[in-house]
Amino acid sequence: MKIIISGGGSGGHIFPAVAIANAVKARWSDVEILFVGAEGRMEMEKVPAAGYKIVGLPIAGLQRKLTPANIVKNLQLPFRILKSRQMVKAVIRDFAPDIVVGVGGFASEPTLKAAAAMGYKTLLQEQNSYAGLTNKILARKACKICVAYEGMDRFFPREKIVFTGNPVRADIEQMNVSTAEGREHFGLRPDGRVLLSVGGSLGARSINEMVLNHLHFFRENRIQILWQTGRWMYDEAVAAVERAQASEWVKVHQFISRMDMAYAAADIVVSRAGAIAISELCLVGKPVVLIPSPNVAEDHQTKNALALVDRGAAVMVKDADCNSQGLSTVKELFDSPERRQKMSVAISRMAVRHAADKIVDQIASLVVKPKAASTPKELSDLEKLDLIGKN
């Protein structure tokens, strides 16, 4: 069996893609898997690190902030798209997959569009509660669409939809780390209160600035914070913590690879509202303050967050209010153990386990032919005579 998995751009696309690939390999040991991603994006590093081959396309997204540099990039975009479509057709033709799986991100659009046009079976994995334009278009030719939220027939043909949940990293789904182990791993004191601030694999400027501008808050309220900054603000954050002499309370990390340890260590989590982050938080069952990114298509992170807020499973603070209200909201939760407990119960009820295996079930239903029922062997005349003689 041969499978192409396409997508990427951020951890929110890469981690589920790798989870699906791992589940495929667990099902069929002799499978060949090829990833198709975007040049210069995270997947070109993370996918090989996970043990898989990847081809990079020169695809990019539309730049919404119209700076002079971004205007030039937008003018180059049609040529990048055309070249990517030509390249991916050759990749698909040479690899000859049994199925092509799209997980979202820049590369998934040209890959799945080309695969469908060439007559290959395609499967979509829609992570968000509000489908983007690209997946709505790709859904027309897709065989199956795996979703993580109810009510997705607003966007896709009902007969193609399968509720699977979002695949997450195995160490999160199988999390068996204690709070004490998590805090020891990061050098946090075992007692007291711990906040985890994580703005996604690439960081989040507004969340980082919220922490950066209020380093005194943590000492004054005796709250330890485990702070993932992403690479863009890491050096600035380290320098600021040293100047403020806040290293006792503020632990800065560019990227946290052991998120199971981080989640275990935390009492409360501050996070963006990406689909995969939310799926992990539901499995972890910790109280969470969601700060949706405003820089995403169709404002889908706000819609993801509201799906939890409406069930009492999270608190949402708008990105514009993050600096003024974010940490005061955190303090209110720390001061209300009963509310935190109710939130933990509510968010845990929304957890969906074994999503990657459920997606592989759908892949199998499309590409694995059922074995023909065995039929009784027709005996020859000599065999019939021999059988009569024995009886």
PDB file of all heavy atoms in Angstrom, residues 278 281-288 307-315 338-352:
ATOM      1  N   ILE A 278      -6.866  22.440  21.186  1.00  0.00           N
ATOM      2  CA  ILE A 278      -8.103  22.186  21.919  1.00  0.00           C
ATOM      3  C   ILE A 278      -8.324  20.696  22.115  1.00  0.00           C
ATOM      4  O   ILE A 278      -8.723  20.250  23.208  1.00  0.00           O
ATOM      5  CB  ILE A 278      -9.297  22.840  21.199  1.00  0.00           C
ATOM      6  CG1 ILE A 278      -9.270  24.363  21.438  1.00  0.00           C
ATOM      7  CG2 ILE A 278     -10.624  22.256  21.676  1.00  0.00           C
ATOM      8  CD1 ILE A 278     -10.387  25.117  20.782  1.00  0.00           C
ATOM      9  N   LEU A 281      -6.121  19.637  24.900  1.00  0.00           N
ATOM     10  CA  LEU A 281      -6.591  20.161  26.184  1.00  0.00           C
ATOM     11  C   LEU A 281      -7.796  19.383  26.702  1.00  0.00           C
ATOM     12  O   LEU A 281      -7.945  19.192  27.911  1.00  0.00           O
ATOM     13  CB  LEU A 281      -6.923  21.645  26.045  1.00  0.00           C
ATOM     14  CG  LEU A 281      -5.706  22.564  25.848  1.00  0.00           C
ATOM     15  CD1 LEU A 281      -6.132  23.928  25.329  1.00  0.00           C
ATOM     16  CD2 LEU A 281      -4.922  22.707  27.153  1.00  0.00           C
ATOM     17  N   CYS A 282      -8.648  18.928  25.795  1.00  0.00           N
ATOM     18  CA  CYS A 282      -9.799  18.112  26.213  1.00  0.00           C
ATOM     19  C   CYS A 282      -9.333  16.793  26.824  1.00  0.00           C
ATOM     20  O   CYS A 282      -9.892  16.320  27.819  1.00  0.00           O
ATOM     21  CB  CYS A 282     -10.723  17.843  25.029  1.00  0.00           C
ATOM     22  SG  CYS A 282     -11.636  19.291  24.440  1.00  0.00           S
ATOM     23  N   LEU A 283      -8.306  16.198  26.235  1.00  0.00           N
ATOM     24  CA  LEU A 283      -7.762  14.945  26.762  1.00  0.00           C
ATOM     25  C   LEU A 283      -7.076  15.167  28.103  1.00  0.00           C
ATOM     26  O   LEU A 283      -7.155  14.334  29.000  1.00  0.00           O
ATOM     27  CB  LEU A 283      -6.770  14.342  25.765  1.00  0.00           C
ATOM     28  CG  LEU A 283      -7.375  13.750  24.490  1.00  0.00           C
ATOM     29  CD1 LEU A 283      -6.292  13.490  23.455  1.00  0.00           C
ATOM     30  CD2 LEU A 283      -8.124  12.461  24.795  1.00  0.00           C
ATOM     31  N   VAL A 284      -6.396  16.306  28.239  1.00  0.00           N
ATOM     32  CA  VAL A 284      -5.667  16.617  29.471  1.00  0.00           C
ATOM     33  C   VAL A 284      -6.623  16.967  30.608  1.00  0.00           C
ATOM     34  O   VAL A 284      -6.388  16.630  31.775  1.00  0.00           O
ATOM     35  CB  VAL A 284      -4.685  17.775  29.208  1.00  0.00           C
ATOM     36  CG1 VAL A 284      -4.071  18.275  30.507  1.00  0.00           C
ATOM     37  CG2 VAL A 284      -3.606  17.335  28.238  1.00  0.00           C
ATOM     38  N   GLY A 285      -7.713  17.664  30.284  1.00  0.00           N
ATOM     39  CA  GLY A 285      -8.730  17.974  31.281  1.00  0.00           C
ATOM     40  C   GLY A 285      -8.366  19.061  32.273  1.00  0.00           C
ATOM     41  O   GLY A 285      -8.851  19.065  33.408  1.00  0.00           O
ATOM     42  N   LYS A 286      -7.528  20.017  31.849  1.00  0.00           N
ATOM     43  CA  LYS A 286      -7.139  21.119  32.734  1.00  0.00           C
ATOM     44  C   LYS A 286      -7.949  22.373  32.393  1.00  0.00           C
ATOM     45  O   LYS A 286      -8.326  22.582  31.238  1.00  0.00           O
ATOM     46  CB  LYS A 286      -5.649  21.432  32.572  1.00  0.00           C
ATOM     47  CG  LYS A 286      -4.699  20.312  33.009  1.00  0.00           C
ATOM     48  CD  LYS A 286      -4.704  20.129  34.520  1.00  0.00           C
ATOM     49  CE  LYS A 286      -3.826  18.985  34.974  1.00  0.00           C
ATOM     50  NZ  LYS A 286      -2.384  19.304  35.000  1.00  0.00           N
ATOM     51  N   PRO A 287      -8.221  23.241  33.387  1.00  0.00           N
ATOM     52  CA  PRO A 287      -8.895  24.519  33.095  1.00  0.00           C
ATOM     53  C   PRO A 287      -8.049  25.334  32.121  1.00  0.00           C
ATOM     54  O   PRO A 287      -6.826  25.372  32.238  1.00  0.00           O
ATOM     55  CB  PRO A 287      -8.969  25.201  34.470  1.00  0.00           C
ATOM     56  CG  PRO A 287      -8.797  24.106  35.462  1.00  0.00           C
ATOM     57  CD  PRO A 287      -7.922  23.083  34.820  1.00  0.00           C
ATOM     58  N   VAL A 288      -8.708  25.998  31.180  1.00  0.00           N
ATOM     59  CA  VAL A 288      -7.958  26.690  30.139  1.00  0.00           C
ATOM     60  C   VAL A 288      -8.567  28.052  29.843  1.00  0.00           C
ATOM     61  O   VAL A 288      -9.784  28.214  29.835  1.00  0.00           O
ATOM     62  CB  VAL A 288      -7.888  25.832  28.850  1.00  0.00           C
ATOM     63  CG1 VAL A 288      -9.269  25.490  28.332  1.00  0.00           C
ATOM     64  CG2 VAL A 288      -7.080  26.525  27.758  1.00  0.00           C
ATOM     65  N   ALA A 307     -17.084  26.837  21.022  1.00  0.00           N
ATOM     66  CA  ALA A 307     -17.611  25.476  21.164  1.00  0.00           C
ATOM     67  C   ALA A 307     -17.351  24.940  22.567  1.00  0.00           C
ATOM     68  O   ALA A 307     -18.139  24.143  23.098  1.00  0.00           O
ATOM     69  CB  ALA A 307     -16.992  24.556  20.110  1.00  0.00           C
ATOM     70  N   LEU A 308     -16.253  25.396  23.212  1.00  0.00           N
ATOM     71  CA  LEU A 308     -15.948  24.996  24.589  1.00  0.00           C
ATOM     72  C   LEU A 308     -16.620  25.918  25.596  1.00  0.00           C
ATOM     73  O   LEU A 308     -17.168  25.468  26.605  1.00  0.00           O
ATOM     74  CB  LEU A 308     -14.437  24.977  24.832  1.00  0.00           C
ATOM     75  CG  LEU A 308     -13.692  23.691  24.483  1.00  0.00           C
ATOM     76  CD1 LEU A 308     -13.672  23.470  22.970  1.00  0.00           C
ATOM     77  CD2 LEU A 308     -12.272  23.713  25.038  1.00  0.00           C
ATOM     78  N   VAL A 309     -16.545  27.215  25.314  1.00  0.00           N
ATOM     79  CA  VAL A 309     -17.126  28.195  26.243  1.00  0.00           C
ATOM     80  C   VAL A 309     -18.615  27.922  26.451  1.00  0.00           C
ATOM     81  O   VAL A 309     -19.123  28.005  27.583  1.00  0.00           O
ATOM     82  CB  VAL A 309     -16.904  29.627  25.710  1.00  0.00           C
ATOM     83  CG1 VAL A 309     -17.667  30.652  26.552  1.00  0.00           C
ATOM     84  CG2 VAL A 309     -15.414  29.968  25.695  1.00  0.00           C
ATOM     85  N   ASP A 310     -19.333  27.591  25.399  1.00  0.00           N
ATOM     86  CA  ASP A 310     -20.775  27.339  25.476  1.00  0.00           C
ATOM     87  C   ASP A 310     -21.110  26.135  26.355  1.00  0.00           C
ATOM     88  O   ASP A 310     -22.250  25.999  26.812  1.00  0.00           O
ATOM     89  CB  ASP A 310     -21.353  27.117  24.073  1.00  0.00           C
ATOM     90  CG  ASP A 310     -21.341  28.394  23.231  1.00  0.00           C
ATOM     91  OD1 ASP A 310     -21.145  29.474  23.823  1.00  0.00           O
ATOM     92  OD2 ASP A 310     -21.501  28.305  22.002  1.00  0.00           O
ATOM     93  N   ARG A 311     -20.122  25.275  26.588  1.00  0.00           N
ATOM     94  CA  ARG A 311     -20.323  24.092  27.433  1.00  0.00           C
ATOM     95  C   ARG A 311     -19.690  24.255  28.811  1.00  0.00           C
ATOM     96  O   ARG A 311     -19.594  23.296  29.569  1.00  0.00           O
ATOM     97  CB  ARG A 311     -19.748  22.852  26.741  1.00  0.00           C
ATOM     98  CG  ARG A 311     -20.512  22.439  25.482  1.00  0.00           C
ATOM     99  CD  ARG A 311     -19.744  21.370  24.709  1.00  0.00           C
ATOM    100  NE  ARG A 311     -20.503  20.859  23.569  1.00  0.00           N
ATOM    101  CZ  ARG A 311     -20.612  21.452  22.394  1.00  0.00           C
ATOM    102  NH1 ARG A 311     -20.007  22.639  22.200  1.00  0.00           N
ATOM    103  NH2 ARG A 311     -21.308  20.916  21.419  1.00  0.00           N
ATOM    104  N   GLY A 312     -19.235  25.464  29.124  1.00  0.00           N
ATOM    105  CA  GLY A 312     -18.609  25.715  30.420  1.00  0.00           C
ATOM    106  C   GLY A 312     -17.256  25.047  30.563  1.00  0.00           C
ATOM    107  O   GLY A 312     -16.768  24.845  31.677  1.00  0.00           O
ATOM    108  N   ALA A 313     -16.612  24.733  29.415  1.00  0.00           N
ATOM    109  CA  ALA A 313     -15.362  23.986  29.439  1.00  0.00           C
ATOM    110  C   ALA A 313     -14.126  24.867  29.310  1.00  0.00           C
ATOM    111  O   ALA A 313     -13.002  24.368  29.395  1.00  0.00           O
ATOM    112  CB  ALA A 313     -15.370  22.949  28.307  1.00  0.00           C
ATOM    113  N   ALA A 314     -14.293  26.158  29.088  1.00  0.00           N
ATOM    114  CA  ALA A 314     -13.162  27.074  28.924  1.00  0.00           C
ATOM    115  C   ALA A 314     -13.631  28.505  29.128  1.00  0.00           C
ATOM    116  O   ALA A 314     -14.827  28.797  29.104  1.00  0.00           O
ATOM    117  CB  ALA A 314     -12.541  26.915  27.542  1.00  0.00           C
ATOM    118  N   VAL A 315     -12.665  29.389  29.324  1.00  0.00           N
ATOM    119  CA  VAL A 315     -12.900  30.835  29.362  1.00  0.00           C
ATOM    120  C   VAL A 315     -12.195  31.425  28.153  1.00  0.00           C
ATOM    121  O   VAL A 315     -11.082  31.008  27.806  1.00  0.00           O
ATOM    122  CB  VAL A 315     -12.340  31.462  30.655  1.00  0.00           C
ATOM    123  CG1 VAL A 315     -12.502  32.970  30.629  1.00  0.00           C
ATOM    124  CG2 VAL A 315     -13.031  30.875  31.870  1.00  0.00           C
ATOM    125  N   GLU A 338     -13.433  25.747  42.981  1.00  0.00           N
ATOM    126  CA  GLU A 338     -14.676  25.082  42.581  1.00  0.00           C
ATOM    127  C   GLU A 338     -14.962  25.296  41.092  1.00  0.00           C
ATOM    128  O   GLU A 338     -15.356  24.361  40.382  1.00  0.00           O
ATOM    129  CB  GLU A 338     -15.847  25.613  43.418  1.00  0.00           C
ATOM    130  CG  GLU A 338     -17.165  24.909  43.126  1.00  0.00           C
ATOM    131  CD  GLU A 338     -18.294  25.434  43.998  1.00  0.00           C
ATOM    132  OE1 GLU A 338     -18.015  26.099  45.018  1.00  0.00           O
ATOM    133  OE2 GLU A 338     -19.462  25.160  43.649  1.00  0.00           O
ATOM    134  N   ARG A 339     -14.737  26.512  40.617  1.00  0.00           N
ATOM    135  CA  ARG A 339     -14.958  26.786  39.192  1.00  0.00           C
ATOM    136  C   ARG A 339     -13.975  26.000  38.330  1.00  0.00           C
ATOM    137  O   ARG A 339     -14.331  25.470  37.278  1.00  0.00           O
ATOM    138  CB  ARG A 339     -14.809  28.283  38.930  1.00  0.00           C
ATOM    139  CG  ARG A 339     -15.178  28.678  37.504  1.00  0.00           C
ATOM    140  CD  ARG A 339     -14.963  30.153  37.262  1.00  0.00           C
ATOM    141  NE  ARG A 339     -15.320  30.532  35.900  1.00  0.00           N
ATOM    142  CZ  ARG A 339     -15.012  31.687  35.344  1.00  0.00           C
ATOM    143  NH1 ARG A 339     -14.345  32.598  36.053  1.00  0.00           N
ATOM    144  NH2 ARG A 339     -15.354  31.946  34.098  1.00  0.00           N
ATOM    145  N   ARG A 340     -12.724  25.911  38.779  1.00  0.00           N
ATOM    146  CA  ARG A 340     -11.729  25.147  38.029  1.00  0.00           C
ATOM    147  C   ARG A 340     -12.125  23.683  37.933  1.00  0.00           C
ATOM    148  O   ARG A 340     -11.977  23.057  36.876  1.00  0.00           O
ATOM    149  CB  ARG A 340     -10.343  25.262  38.682  1.00  0.00           C
ATOM    150  CG  ARG A 340      -9.746  26.649  38.641  1.00  0.00           C
ATOM    151  CD  ARG A 340      -8.218  26.603  38.736  1.00  0.00           C
ATOM    152  NE  ARG A 340      -7.713  25.763  39.804  1.00  0.00           N
ATOM    153  CZ  ARG A 340      -7.524  26.167  41.053  1.00  0.00           C
ATOM    154  NH1 ARG A 340      -7.822  27.421  41.393  1.00  0.00           N
ATOM    155  NH2 ARG A 340      -7.032  25.354  41.957  1.00  0.00           N
ATOM    156  N   GLN A 341     -12.648  23.146  39.010  1.00  0.00           N
ATOM    157  CA  GLN A 341     -13.067  21.748  39.009  1.00  0.00           C
ATOM    158  C   GLN A 341     -14.201  21.517  38.014  1.00  0.00           C
ATOM    159  O   GLN A 341     -14.196  20.535  37.250  1.00  0.00           O
ATOM    160  CB  GLN A 341     -13.500  21.331  40.419  1.00  0.00           C
ATOM    161  CG  GLN A 341     -14.048  19.915  40.539  1.00  0.00           C
ATOM    162  CD  GLN A 341     -13.047  18.846  40.138  1.00  0.00           C
ATOM    163  OE1 GLN A 341     -11.832  19.068  40.212  1.00  0.00           O
ATOM    164  NE2 GLN A 341     -13.535  17.698  39.704  1.00  0.00           N
ATOM    165  N   LYS A 342     -15.171  22.418  37.981  1.00  0.00           N
ATOM    166  CA  LYS A 342     -16.293  22.285  37.045  1.00  0.00           C
ATOM    167  C   LYS A 342     -15.807  22.372  35.598  1.00  0.00           C
ATOM    168  O   LYS A 342     -16.278  21.638  34.727  1.00  0.00           O
ATOM    169  CB  LYS A 342     -17.336  23.370  37.323  1.00  0.00           C
ATOM    170  CG  LYS A 342     -18.131  23.151  38.600  1.00  0.00           C
ATOM    171  CD  LYS A 342     -19.158  24.263  38.811  1.00  0.00           C
ATOM    172  CE  LYS A 342     -19.975  24.021  40.071  1.00  0.00           C
ATOM    173  NZ  LYS A 342     -20.944  25.124  40.316  1.00  0.00           N
ATOM    174  N   MET A 343     -14.850  23.275  35.342  1.00  0.00           N
ATOM    175  CA  MET A 343     -14.302  23.401  34.000  1.00  0.00           C
ATOM    176  C   MET A 343     -13.552  22.137  33.586  1.00  0.00           C
ATOM    177  O   MET A 343     -13.656  21.687  32.433  1.00  0.00           O
ATOM    178  CB  MET A 343     -13.370  24.620  33.915  1.00  0.00           C
ATOM    179  CG  MET A 343     -14.093  25.950  33.959  1.00  0.00           C
ATOM    180  SD  MET A 343     -12.950  27.359  34.053  1.00  0.00           S
ATOM    181  CE  MET A 343     -12.089  27.219  32.489  1.00  0.00           C
ATOM    182  N   SER A 344     -12.817  21.549  34.512  1.00  0.00           N
ATOM    183  CA  SER A 344     -12.071  20.323  34.216  1.00  0.00           C
ATOM    184  C   SER A 344     -13.008  19.187  33.824  1.00  0.00           C
ATOM    185  O   SER A 344     -12.747  18.446  32.877  1.00  0.00           O
ATOM    186  CB  SER A 344     -11.228  19.899  35.423  1.00  0.00           C
ATOM    187  OG  SER A 344     -10.181  20.808  35.645  1.00  0.00           O
ATOM    188  N   VAL A 345     -14.105  19.070  34.570  1.00  0.00           N
ATOM    189  CA  VAL A 345     -15.088  18.017  34.262  1.00  0.00           C
ATOM    190  C   VAL A 345     -15.708  18.264  32.888  1.00  0.00           C
ATOM    191  O   VAL A 345     -15.836  17.349  32.064  1.00  0.00           O
ATOM    192  CB  VAL A 345     -16.173  17.969  35.350  1.00  0.00           C
ATOM    193  CG1 VAL A 345     -17.324  17.037  34.927  1.00  0.00           C
ATOM    194  CG2 VAL A 345     -15.576  17.503  36.673  1.00  0.00           C
ATOM    195  N   ALA A 346     -16.080  19.512  32.614  1.00  0.00           N
ATOM    196  CA  ALA A 346     -16.746  19.846  31.351  1.00  0.00           C
ATOM    197  C   ALA A 346     -15.830  19.622  30.152  1.00  0.00           C
ATOM    198  O   ALA A 346     -16.261  19.081  29.121  1.00  0.00           O
ATOM    199  CB  ALA A 346     -17.227  21.293  31.383  1.00  0.00           C
ATOM    200  N   ILE A 347     -14.565  20.031  30.251  1.00  0.00           N
ATOM    201  CA  ILE A 347     -13.670  19.874  29.110  1.00  0.00           C
ATOM    202  C   ILE A 347     -13.305  18.414  28.892  1.00  0.00           C
ATOM    203  O   ILE A 347     -13.136  17.955  27.754  1.00  0.00           O
ATOM    204  CB  ILE A 347     -12.407  20.764  29.267  1.00  0.00           C
ATOM    205  CG1 ILE A 347     -11.714  20.946  27.910  1.00  0.00           C
ATOM    206  CG2 ILE A 347     -11.444  20.213  30.296  1.00  0.00           C
ATOM    207  CD1 ILE A 347     -10.619  22.000  27.917  1.00  0.00           C
ATOM    208  N   SER A 348     -13.203  17.642  29.970  1.00  0.00           N
ATOM    209  CA  SER A 348     -12.889  16.213  29.843  1.00  0.00           C
ATOM    210  C   SER A 348     -14.000  15.462  29.118  1.00  0.00           C
ATOM    211  O   SER A 348     -13.734  14.488  28.399  1.00  0.00           O
ATOM    212  CB  SER A 348     -12.653  15.596  31.227  1.00  0.00           C
ATOM    213  OG  SER A 348     -11.518  16.161  31.848  1.00  0.00           O
ATOM    214  N   ARG A 349     -15.233  15.910  29.285  1.00  0.00           N
ATOM    215  CA  ARG A 349     -16.357  15.255  28.612  1.00  0.00           C
ATOM    216  C   ARG A 349     -16.300  15.417  27.095  1.00  0.00           C
ATOM    217  O   ARG A 349     -16.939  14.661  26.363  1.00  0.00           O
ATOM    218  CB  ARG A 349     -17.676  15.829  29.133  1.00  0.00           C
ATOM    219  CG  ARG A 349     -18.048  15.338  30.530  1.00  0.00           C
ATOM    220  CD  ARG A 349     -19.293  16.039  31.036  1.00  0.00           C
ATOM    221  NE  ARG A 349     -19.664  15.549  32.363  1.00  0.00           N
ATOM    222  CZ  ARG A 349     -20.439  16.217  33.208  1.00  0.00           C
ATOM    223  NH1 ARG A 349     -20.927  17.417  32.869  1.00  0.00           N
ATOM    224  NH2 ARG A 349     -20.730  15.716  34.392  1.00  0.00           N
ATOM    225  N   MET A 350     -15.544  16.405  26.625  1.00  0.00           N
ATOM    226  CA  MET A 350     -15.454  16.659  25.189  1.00  0.00           C
ATOM    227  C   MET A 350     -14.292  15.912  24.527  1.00  0.00           C
ATOM    228  O   MET A 350     -14.089  16.002  23.318  1.00  0.00           O
ATOM    229  CB  MET A 350     -15.293  18.162  24.942  1.00  0.00           C
ATOM    230  CG  MET A 350     -16.474  18.993  25.424  1.00  0.00           C
ATOM    231  SD  MET A 350     -16.246  20.764  25.113  1.00  0.00           S
ATOM    232  CE  MET A 350     -16.360  20.800  23.311  1.00  0.00           C
ATOM    233  N   ALA A 351     -13.526  15.153  25.314  1.00  0.00           N
ATOM    234  CA  ALA A 351     -12.366  14.447  24.770  1.00  0.00           C
ATOM    235  C   ALA A 351     -12.793  13.316  23.831  1.00  0.00           C
ATOM    236  O   ALA A 351     -13.770  12.615  24.087  1.00  0.00           O
ATOM    237  CB  ALA A 351     -11.517  13.890  25.918  1.00  0.00           C
ATOM    238  N   VAL A 352     -12.061  13.158  22.743  1.00  0.00           N
ATOM    239  CA  VAL A 352     -12.277  12.055  21.795  1.00  0.00           C
ATOM    240  C   VAL A 352     -10.954  11.302  21.662  1.00  0.00           C
ATOM    241  O   VAL A 352      -9.934  11.888  21.294  1.00  0.00           O
ATOM    242  CB  VAL A 352     -12.713  12.569  20.411  1.00  0.00           C
ATOM    243  CG1 VAL A 352     -12.909  11.399  19.443  1.00  0.00           C
ATOM    244  CG2 VAL A 352     -13.988  13.384  20.524  1.00  0.00           C
TER     245      VAL A 352
END
